[in-house]
Amino acid sequence: MTTGRTKLSTKARFGCLAWLLPALVFGQATTSSYESEPNNTPAEANAISGEVTVLGTMNDSDQDGFMWTVSDEDAQKRWVFELHGIPGRLTIADFFRLEFAENDVDVARREKLTTMGTRDGYTPAITRELIFEPGEYLIGIAYAGGGSAPQPEGGGMFRPPAAGLSFGESGAPETSDEVAAPSEPESGAYRLIIREVSKLSLQPQPTDTTREEARAIYPGSSFYTFETRDSAWYTLDFKPEDTQQRWDVHVQVPMGRFVDATLFDAAGQQLDKRRSGPRGHLDFPDIVPGEQPYLLQLEPLEPGFITVIETIRAGQRVAGEEAEPNGKWELANRVDFSQPLQARSNEANDADFFRFTVDETAGDSLQVVQLRSNPPDQNVRFCLHSSENTELQCRRANTPIELPDLLLTPGDYGLSVTGSQGEFGYSLSLSGQGPVEAGREVEPNDRVEIATAVPANLRIKGRASGDEEDFYQFLIAEEPQLWRFQLIGENILEFSLHDASGAQTKRVRPQAGQRRIRLDDVFLLPGKHYARVYARDGADYALLARALGPPNPNGEREPNDDTSRMQRLTMGQTRTGLLSDAADQDYYRFFLANWDHIRLNIEPPPDGSIEANLYWYTSDMFYGLAKDPGQA
């Protein structure tokens, strides 16, 4: 089979014969809300509530407002907000509590609660779990960075967009193909995902208000109540088996509410005092249990809201040297990476876990994690984890191992080291790699859930560190149309497209020595789409996409590589298709209501040869061998 445009047509007096019925795919429905203009003022804000995915676009000086309603039931839940911003732009979401004037249009009082955002849209911004009181909250979304102003020295609030990106040493695209030509910037698409993560089973408020009658909070437990007192006392009781590790004490109140917490020893000596932050969180980390309990006093600034108290297992805090035990995620060493950490693997398949925190300053640049062993050349599985212990990126290789190009948003992360060759020593280090480059991928993006967002000009460069998969996210705001995807680079093993659920829709494996992969006539609806690049260690590549316009009603639409995505062919219809490479396959189906004689014509281009298979349901009926070039 060779590349070329083909024509396929059918003729019959009346219907007969059925060709492979398409498979049905069922997906779980989710609540979505599409922004509707005008929504630039609080009075015009789009109404939303509960769990919802907000989808919108912005251009020029646009801003979008959403009025999120929290019911009494929703107020007894914890919520997470995930903002997928406009790639190449600073995108923010401001949270306000408002009071309207009597005309229900003007704002009488405004209280700003918090702001979340992503500096460049490559990775989403995710909040820690939040609690809200019943009522209405205005969520305002805006973006910046659309101009060509230079970035302030030493960084700034946002990075410039990926404009004028080139793919060659001369500054010109690597290929003369028109897909690489600059395109006009499109409207920026964003998504705000609001999801429930847990319910708070409120317990009766204790009647005791004195230190002597403090309510007991046990290790690993949580206590939720509606607090109406000016002062409440709790005792943190640890059993002997709980004294072998550290503990975190976490207090939480609704966003916009504040509480003072004071920690005392058993003798009544004050150890620490803290106030909850704007998002309602307060922590006493690294508590070392003793024979006597600790006492905790809570003093709300204005009582009358839900209060949460939790004790959470934590590992030891170390600097410079590992501390055992750390063979479980709950016991992970808390590492200060201001210096390399020295550690040891004691036996084969023994795992060591470590946690570290990325602050606002470090989160604005690329990071690299390095693992070195003594003796070298040890076979190790080395993983980066999220704060919930989800594996974000893993490498199994011989030391030294490096995880480069990491863009880590502020928060907590983990590392795990699992050796397979018995006892050996090793060191871990985390260091800055430099600023984020416009139009270049960032890690981790080894899973579809953490795909790198592609800039508005639909071009991005990537590289493989180890044999790895890189996922890219396209947020398409234009009307349904055909698209062309092109991947240029050496050592590419596989290229695939995925729908919004992450399911694979199209896959191409290049021939040996093939440097360019091109997918044409891919029909995409507005929304979220993914591309996956699987490449060998050291591969450098460029991924490009371009809108081709609305489809020809009688033209082929990719993906149609399998029986679940066959295109319909009606009697008397002629369809035109493209076989882009030797591995490409196009599937069509037609229906007949009775037995009849029909004619099916397949015309290749003058220099192309076609192989065709005809099926009745799943039974082979006819196998057409390749004819001479140009022969129908």
Side-chain angles (χ1 to χ4, degrees), residues 28 81 101 108 112 155 181 226 233 369 386 400 414 479 495 589 602 608:
Q28 183 177 359
F81 293 77
K112 184 174 181 178
F226 189 84
W233 286 87
V369 179
S386 71
E479 68 278 0
F495 178 55
R589 63 185 176 93
I602 304 174

Side-chain angles (χ1 to χ4, degrees), residues 126-147:
I126 303 176
T127 66
R128 194 175 176 182
E129 299 175 0
L130 302 176
I131 301 173
F132 291 83
E133 294 183 290
E136 292 186 327
Y137 296 84
L138 175 67
I139 304 175
I141 300 178
Y143 82 103

